[in-house]
């Protein structure tokens, strides 16, 4: 498996991530509390700075190409993962998760997602490097996904229909009510899951579904295992604090899904035409940044129409 990362560099990466997570959970979020906007801004800044600092390290140690691959992979993954915010909001509303408990669920949910994505990435990179023709299947899949996003209508998500939740409820005995920030409690000598653990399962299952689209997209940028893993991890861990920052704003980005579709289509076409013309990394990065800026500006200039007023009350006696 091709990877520029040496054992020492992998160790540095693991140390940085572990230290940041330990400080986050052990120092600043030891007690459950509602994350303020100020706190969300601070932690989003921390993860962005850590990602860019690591990116600078990659530039210095492995050269411009690998540095650009990391930055594009990180930005691409972060962009595609913003869609998760919509899903997390629906999940929290459905299960009535209080603001005090949301950070705890996202913390462990995204840590679990990182482990699952690591396994997916390892399998994906190994398959692609041994059977390069699989890349063309991934490219076609990304184009198909982009078309599907463009033509499908927005539908309400129903967390109760999640197969992982149905299986969890069938196999795991649960309490009916929350018990603070606990995922598991002991009642009458039995260990029982709380609804908070069910929420965690649904969050992880949702991220696995998103990984089906996002990981092939990142493999369209690079198949270097080290670059794919590190850019993915920094983006996903940064998404947790980003959730609290943009949760109230993301609904206003009406053209975000169009931007995601354009990005997926571009990466898919890039894969499919690589034998004819290999699009330079700088060009890919400019396209990605241009789509992000364009969709954001367009969403702000052309906001969604206000909801229709409620019908007047029936005046008949």
């Amino acid at each position: 498996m091709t990877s520029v990362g040496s054992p020492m560099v992998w160790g540095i990466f693991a140390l940085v991530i572990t230290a940041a997570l330990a400080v986050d959970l052990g120092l600043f979020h030891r007690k459950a509390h509602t994350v303020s906007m100020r706190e969300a801004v601070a932690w989003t800044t921390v993860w962005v700075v850590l990602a860019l600092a690591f990116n600078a390290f990659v530039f210095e140690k492995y050269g411009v190409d690998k540095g650009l691959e990391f930055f594009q992979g990180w930005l691409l993954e972060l962009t595609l993962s913003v869609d998760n915010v919509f899903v997390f909001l629906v999940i929290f509303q459905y299960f009535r998760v209080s603001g005090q408990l949301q950070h705890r669920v996202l913390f462990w949910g995204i840590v679990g997602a990182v482990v699952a994505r690591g396994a997916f990435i390892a399998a994906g990179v190994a398959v692609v490097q041994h059977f390069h023709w699989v890349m063309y299947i991934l490219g076609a899949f990304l184009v198909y996904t982009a078309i599907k996003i463009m033509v499908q209508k927005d539908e309400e998500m129903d967390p109760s229909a999640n197969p992982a939740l149905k299986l969890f409820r069938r196999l795991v005995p649960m309490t009916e009510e929350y018990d603070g920030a606990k995922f598991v409690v002991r009642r009458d000598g039995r260990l029982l899951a709380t609804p908070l653990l069910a929420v965690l399962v649904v969050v992880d299952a949702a991220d696995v579904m998103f990984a089906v689209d996002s990981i092939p997209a990142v493999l369209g940028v690079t198949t270097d295992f080290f670059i794919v893993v590190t850019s993915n991890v920094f983006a996903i861990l940064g998404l947790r604090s980003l959730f609290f920052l943009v949760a109230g704003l993301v609904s206003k980005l009406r053209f975000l899904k169009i931007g995601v579709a354009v990005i997926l289509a571009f990466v898919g076409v890039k894969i499919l035409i690589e034998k004819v013309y290999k699009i330079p990394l700088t060009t890919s990065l400019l396209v990605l940044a241009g789509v992000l800026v364009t969709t954001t500006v367009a969403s702000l200039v052309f906001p969604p129409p206000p909801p229709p007023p409620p019908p007047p009350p029936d005046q008949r006696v």
Side-chain angles (χ1 to χ4, degrees):
M1 184 180 295
T2 303
S3 175
V4 295
S6 65
M8 183 187 73
V9 176
W10 276 108
I12 293 173
F13 167 70
L15 182 63
V16 170
I17 295 299
T18 303
L21 289 175
V23 170
D24 184 353
L25 187 65
L27 184 60
F28 289 95
H29 295 98
R30 183 176 299 175
K31 294 183 179 179
H33 66 277
T34 301
V35 176
S36 65
M37 182 64 71
R38 181 179 179 182
E39 188 178 354
V41 170
W43 273 105
T44 299
T45 303
V46 166
W47 283 110
V48 169
V49 169
L50 283 175
L52 295 180
F54 195 82
N55 194 186
F57 169 77
V58 173
F59 266 109
E60 175 64 26
K61 189 168 182 64
Y62 300 116
V64 174
D65 284 350
K66 291 299 178 183
L68 288 175
E69 285 178 2
F70 177 94
F71 183 73
Q72 188 176 345
W74 171 72
L75 188 60
L76 178 63
E77 185 60 49
L78 195 61
T79 302
L80 299 180
S81 296
V82 168
D83 222 19
N84 289 23
V85 172
F86 291 100
V87 177
F88 293 160
L89 284 171
V90 173
I91 292 172
F92 287 152
Q93 289 169 2
Y94 175 82
F95 287 98
R96 298 178 183 177
V97 180
S98 67
Q100 293 182 334
L101 300 178
Q102 289 177 8
H103 176 274
R104 181 173 176 82
V105 173
L106 288 178
F107 182 94
W108 291 111
I110 291 179
V111 168
V114 166
V115 175
R117 281 174 179 250
F120 282 177
I121 291 169
V125 170
V127 169
V128 166
Q129 291 182 349
H130 284 84
F131 308 99
H132 184 73
W133 53 267
V134 173
M135 284 297 295
Y136 300 111
I137 297 178
L138 295 179
F141 173 74
L142 292 177
V143 173
Y144 165 77
T145 303
I147 296 172
K148 184 179 178 182
I149 291 174
M150 293 290 284
V151 301
Q152 72 181 4
K153 296 180 180 179
D154 290 333
E155 297 179 355
E156 290 287 334
M157 176 192 170
D158 182 9
S160 65
N162 187 293
L165 177 61
K166 290 182 177 179
L167 182 63
F168 181 82
R169 283 174 167 168
R170 183 178 302 172
L171 299 179
V172 180
M174 289 177 55
T175 63
E176 293 293 329
E177 68 286 338
Y178 290 95
D179 191 338
K182 296 178 180 177
F183 291 117
V184 179
V185 294
R186 184 178 291 277
R187 300 277 174 83
D188 299 326
R190 297 176 63 206
L191 283 177
L192 301 175
T194 69
L196 200 63
L197 185 59
V199 178
L200 179 61
V201 169
V202 176
V203 166
D204 269 337
D207 185 81
V208 168
M209 294 303 298
F210 275 101
V212 173
D213 293 335
S214 64
I215 290 178
V218 176
L219 290 176
V221 175
T222 177
T223 57
D224 187 294
F225 182 65
F226 176 76
I227 299 298
V228 176
V229 169
T230 53
S231 61
N232 243 263
V233 169
F234 274 113
I236 293 302
L237 293 180
L239 175 68
R240 178 175 41 86
S241 51
L242 189 64
F243 167 83
F244 297 101
L245 182 62
V246 304
L249 304 175
V250 74
S251 60
K252 298 179 180 179
L253 301 177
R254 61 183 303 201
F255 298 116
L256 176 64
K257 285 188 178 294
I258 296 176
V260 168
V262 171
I263 289 170
L264 290 176
F266 172 77
V267 176
V269 171
K270 176 186 173 185
I271 294 172
L272 293 174
I273 68 171
E274 68 170 357
K275 288 293 185 182
V276 179
Y277 176 69
K278 189 170 184 178
I279 299 176
L281 280 171
T282 50
T283 303
S284 297
L285 191 54
L286 288 173
V287 170
L288 174 57
V291 171
L292 286 177
V293 172
T294 301
T295 54
T296 301
V297 172
S299 297
L300 297 177
V301 174
F302 303 102
D314 194 342
Q315 300 296 328
R316 291 177 299 178
V317 177

